[in-house]
Amino acid sequence: METYYCDAGKPVPGAFEVTLNNLREIASTSYYNVPRGFALLLDALEADAGLAATFFSRLRLICNAGAALPGAARHRLQALVARYAPEHEIAIISSWGTTETAPLATGAWGDPPPEFDSIGVPMPGVTIKLAPDGDRYEILRERPERHAGLLA
């Protein structure tokens, strides 16, 4: 049986301390956050060896979501994994999704090159379309089991 912990912390200065206090008490096997949350977490892990030791002691999966994790942040994270968890593998993945398409519409995993900065490729059964929106693109997605016709 698995146990999930959700805390009241938010990835903003002043509110992230709630998350850090929980991470000092509970050694998770998986951790999910957005790039801003990882930026705050990395600063804390690099400054607090005790927090880092607890955080990485049981961890097996790190998932970044919402936007691509910047390459510099990924390298900092990989350096911390090498320092605090050399005896076990920790998968670092990036993903993108929405409530409407379930939590995962795209995914990226593996050992990316230094310039890797991506939310990945569509997961099986997901169709992605890039639609022009001014000087940017909007991602449109469709999954067979959720909201059929989103691309139409």
Side-chain angles (χ1 to χ4, degrees):
M1 178 157 86
E2 296 181 32
T3 303
Y4 293 93
Y5 293 93
C6 296
D7 65 38
K10 297 178 180 173
V12 295
F16 197 64
E17 190 62 34
V18 172
T19 296
L20 295 177
N21 287 336
N22 288 329
L23 293 175
R24 285 183 181 96
E25 294 180 26
I26 300 166
S28 298
T29 56
S30 62
Y31 184 76
Y32 303 81
N33 213 325
V34 296
R36 179 65 182 134
F38 276 106
L40 294 169
L41 178 64
L42 290 169
D43 289 344
L45 292 172
E46 290 169 341
D48 185 339
L51 171 64
T54 300
F55 180 75
F56 290 108
S57 66
R58 297 181 60 227
L59 200 63
R60 298 299 184 269
L61 171 70
I62 297 172
C63 182
N64 170 68
L69 187 64
R74 183 181 258 281
H75 291 296
R76 289 171 64 197
L77 186 54
Q78 289 171 322
L80 287 164
V81 168
R83 179 174 180 186
Y84 290 99
E87 70 286 348
H88 64 270
E89 184 175 337
I90 299 175
I92 302 173
I93 65 171
S94 289
S95 66
W96 176 85
T98 64
T99 301
E100 296 83 9
T101 62
L104 184 62
T106 68
W109 53 89
D111 188 16
E115 66 276 4
F116 188 83
D117 191 5
S118 171
I119 58 171
V121 297
M123 300 306 293
V126 176
T127 301
I128 297 289
K129 177 181 177 182
L130 297 177
D133 184 18
D135 63 344
R136 299 177 181 215
Y137 289 88
E138 179 181 2
I139 301 175
L140 304 176
R141 69 265 175 242
E142 180 180 53
R143 295 180 75 119
E145 75 276 11
R146 300 280 183 149
H147 299 278
L150 278 176
L151 292 176

